[in-house]
């Protein structure tokens, strides 16, 4: 007679026994597949490694020391046929294995400025039943970056993070993957913005990640650029002050000292090298030289007032001496000293000529420099 209870019990046993056999922990599966595994042997003679990368944040681009600090992640994937298992062996599709027990590529950041934290951040490797291995790396990176300050503060800097093999035959390790870098979790930086899409380049045994950083110039415009331009224009207005006030020279010297202060501020924020020179620092130096000339011209004008004006100044000011003075004739001899006009007669014209000359020069230089910076 057909026993339903026995058939049901037998069916349950047939289901439970395979499940209990196939269920193993990560450690048990790892111990079995790594029994004859040699971690110092490469999986194959020629190995292809897939690379995925993402940028999380840019902390700093140091203009003085010329290095880039950022946080990023990388996933390196390759296949090792020595780590394959089937479903009858274990129901697990993937396990975590200590990275010290498996072979992994010996990689470094070729242009690192400090340490190799990123390359030593992976504690475990993800291994699938098909022998696919994923190595997740995440952490801070400091790399050298040559700064081009020619258009500071409207500059765009291009920095690279180069990951490369440093031990063994790297010509037989090939990197491949998408050329784009994941930016989904990127946090904006207050000083720089990503001006173009970040790209990756692949070469034999190395991966280069290129980052284009465009400086946000608003802070420098209001704290350095605008004050320097205004001071440059203020130089010309020194000649509109009356010489009787005695403040012309002191004002010109004050402007000169202000330029020295801004030069020191710019010098402290820019790298100390002669490969590239900042166009803005050249502008400040030119404005400083103009201020020196203004001081010298004012001193000379004050000194020349102690003597009668020379003829070249009379020609420059187009002063008609016969119309401004009374000729005294005595025995058909004209007194030349009476005919020659005094400084009070030509001072206004001379100051006006100096004012217009320096103002036009300041406007022209400023327009040319700002055009070159923002082009």
């Amino acid at each position: 007679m057909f026993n339903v209870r026995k058939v049901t019990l037998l069916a349950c046993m047939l289901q439970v026994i395979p499940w209990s056999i196939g269920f193993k922990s990560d450690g048990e599966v790892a111990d079995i597949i790594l029994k004859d595994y040699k971690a110092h042997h490469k999986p194959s003679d020629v190995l292809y490694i897939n690379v995925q990368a993402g940028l999380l944040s840019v902390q700093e681009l140091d203009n003085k020391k010329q290095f880039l600090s950022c946080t990023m992640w990388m996933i390196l994937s390759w296949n090792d046929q020595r780590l394959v298992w089937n479903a009858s062996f274990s129901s697990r599709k993937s396990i975590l294995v200590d990275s010290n027990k498996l072979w992994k590529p010996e990689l470094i950041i070729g242009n690192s400025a400090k340490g190799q934290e990123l390359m030593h951040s992976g504690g475990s490797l993800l291994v699938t039943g098909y022998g696919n291995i994923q190595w997740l790396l995440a952490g801070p990176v400091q790399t050298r970056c040559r700064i081009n300050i020619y258009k500071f503060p409207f500059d765009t800097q291009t920095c690279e993070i180069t990951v490369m093999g440093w031990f063994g035959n790297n010509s037989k390790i090939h990197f491949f993957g998408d050329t784009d870098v994941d930016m989904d979790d990127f946090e904006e930086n207050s000083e720089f913005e990503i001006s173009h899409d970040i790209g990756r380049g692949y070469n034999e045994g190395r991966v280069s990640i290129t980052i284009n950083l465009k400086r946000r110039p608003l802070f420098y415009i209001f704290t350095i650029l605008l004050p320097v331009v205004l001071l440059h224009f203020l130089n010309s207005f020194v000649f509109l002050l009356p010489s009787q006030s005695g403040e012309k020279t002191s004002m010109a010297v004050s402007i000169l000292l202000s330029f020295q202060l801004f030069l020191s501020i710019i010098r402290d924020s820019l790298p100390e090298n002669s490969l590239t020179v900042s166009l803005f620092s050249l502008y400040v130096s030119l404005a400083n030289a103009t201020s020196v000339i203004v001081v010298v011209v004012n001193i000379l004008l004050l000194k020349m007032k102690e003597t009668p004006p020379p003829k070249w100044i009379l020609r420059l000011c187009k002063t008609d001496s016969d119309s401004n003075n009374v000729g005294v004739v005595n025995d058909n001899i004209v007194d030349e000293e009476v005919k020659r006009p005094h400084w009070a007669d030509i001072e206004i014209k001379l100051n006006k000529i100096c004012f217009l000359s320096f103002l036009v020069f300041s406007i022209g230089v400023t327009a040319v420099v700002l055009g070159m910076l923002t082009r």
Side-chain angles (χ1 to χ4, degrees), residues 127-199:
V127 182
T128 68
Y130 298 99
N132 296 323
I133 302 175
Q134 286 189 340
W135 185 16
L136 174 61
L137 304 170
V141 179
Q142 282 193 1
T143 55
R144 298 185 301 274
C145 181
R146 179 173 293 180
I147 306 296
N148 187 343
I149 58 173
Y150 179 70
K151 289 189 175 183
F152 175 86
F154 300 94
D155 54 324
T156 299
Q157 304 299 333
T158 301
C159 300
E160 282 192 354
I161 302 173
T162 303
V163 179
M164 57 186 295
W166 73 280
F167 184 76
N169 192 354
N170 297 314
S171 62
K172 294 186 177 182
I173 296 180
H174 301 279
F175 295 100
F176 70 97
D178 295 334
T179 57
D180 296 331
V181 175
D182 189 283
M183 298 287 294
D184 293 340
D185 299 320
F186 180 75
E187 295 182 4
E188 293 291 334
N189 183 273
S190 60
E191 186 177 1
F192 292 92
E193 62 178 335
I194 305 297
S195 60
H196 304 289
D197 292 336
I198 301 178

Side-chain angles (χ1 to χ4, degrees), residues 3 20 101 114 139 146 158 173 179 183 198 255 333 372:
N3 194 328
S20 61
K101 296 181 179 181
K114 182 181 179 182
R146 179 173 293 180
T158 301
I173 296 180
T179 57
M183 298 287 294
I198 301 178
I255 296 175
I333 298 175
M372 295 177 67

Side-chain angles (χ1 to χ4, degrees), residues 23 41 45 88 111 127 135-137 147 150 162 176 187 235 246 267 287 293 313-314 317 330 334 368:
F23 179 78
H41 287 176
D45 184 47
S88 62
N111 58 341
V127 182
W135 185 16
L136 174 61
L137 304 170
I147 306 296
Y150 179 70
T162 303
F176 70 97
E187 295 182 4
N235 258 332
R267 184 172 58 251
I293 296 174
I313 290 183
L314 296 177
C317 298
N330 186 13
V334 180
V368 170

Side-chain angles (χ1 to χ4, degrees), residues 89-358:
F89 172 72
S90 174
S91 61
R92 289 182 175 273
K93 295 183 179 180
S94 62
I95 61 172
L96 290 176
V97 181
D98 187 357
S99 60
N100 295 321
K101 296 181 179 181
L102 298 179
W103 180 93
K104 60 181 184 293
E106 297 289 342
L107 301 176
I108 62 170
I109 300 177
N111 58 341
S112 175
K114 182 181 179 182
Q116 298 286 338
E117 288 85 355
L118 179 65
M119 294 294 101
H120 298 92
S121 62
S124 299
L125 303 182
L126 181 65
V127 182
T128 68
Y130 298 99
N132 296 323
I133 302 175
Q134 286 189 340
W135 185 16
L136 174 61
L137 304 170
V141 179
Q142 282 193 1
T143 55
R144 298 185 301 274
C145 181
R146 179 173 293 180
I147 306 296
N148 187 343
I149 58 173
Y150 179 70
K151 289 189 175 183
F152 175 86
F154 300 94
D155 54 324
T156 299
Q157 304 299 333
T158 301
C159 300
E160 282 192 354
I161 302 173
T162 303
V163 179
M164 57 186 295
W166 73 280
F167 184 76
N169 192 354
N170 297 314
S171 62
K172 294 186 177 182
I173 296 180
H174 301 279
F175 295 100
F176 70 97
D178 295 334
T179 57
D180 296 331
V181 175
D182 189 283
M183 298 287 294
D184 293 340
D185 299 320
F186 180 75
E187 295 182 4
E188 293 291 334
N189 183 273
S190 60
E191 186 177 1
F192 292 92
E193 62 178 335
I194 305 297
S195 60
H196 304 289
D197 292 336
I198 301 178
R200 281 181 290 172
Y202 300 93
N203 201 346
E204 288 188 357
R206 69 173 56 198
V207 182
S208 297
I209 300 174
T210 303
I211 304 176
N212 297 300
L213 298 172
K214 183 178 181 181
R215 194 185 305 274
R216 302 179 191 269
L218 197 60
F219 170 78
Y220 296 98
I221 289 176
F222 287 105
T223 57
I224 299 179
L225 181 60
L226 188 59
V228 168
V229 172
L230 293 178
L231 282 174
H232 197 189
F233 288 150
L234 191 60
N235 258 332
S236 307
F237 289 86
V238 171
F239 295 101
L240 297 184
L241 290 175
S243 58
Q244 294 82 3
S245 64
E247 298 295 332
K248 294 183 70 173
T249 305
S250 60
M251 179 179 175
V253 172
S254 299
I255 296 175
L256 176 60
L257 294 177
S258 299
F259 279 124
Q260 296 296 330
L261 174 62
F262 281 106
L263 270 175
S264 64
I265 294 175
I266 297 173
R267 184 172 58 251
D268 291 339
S269 60
L270 296 180
E272 299 174 354
N273 66 69
S274 300
L275 297 177
T276 56
V277 180
S278 171
L279 187 61
F280 179 62
S281 62
L282 290 178
Y283 172 78
V284 178
S285 299
L286 182 60
N288 183 55
T290 305
S291 185
V292 171
I293 296 174
V294 169
V295 172
V296 172
V297 170
N298 277 281
I299 294 175
L300 291 178
L301 289 178
L302 292 175
K303 185 65 177 178
M304 292 172 65
K305 287 180 66 176
E306 299 176 359
T307 59
K311 292 183 179 181
W312 65 270
I313 290 183
L314 296 177
R315 288 193 295 267
L316 180 65
C317 298
K318 297 180 181 180
T319 302
D320 186 3
S321 59
D322 294 329
S323 63
N324 295 329
N325 296 278
V326 178
V328 178
V329 180
N330 186 13
D331 297 331
N332 296 325
I333 298 175
V334 180
D335 189 358
E336 294 293 336
E337 294 297 330
V338 177
K339 288 183 64 179
R340 188 181 297 273
H342 298 285
W343 277 105
D345 302 322
I346 62 173
E347 184 179 14
I348 296 178
K349 287 186 177 181
L350 190 59
N351 281 322
K352 188 175 181 180
I353 291 174
C354 292
F355 166 73
L356 291 176
S357 300
F358 281 99

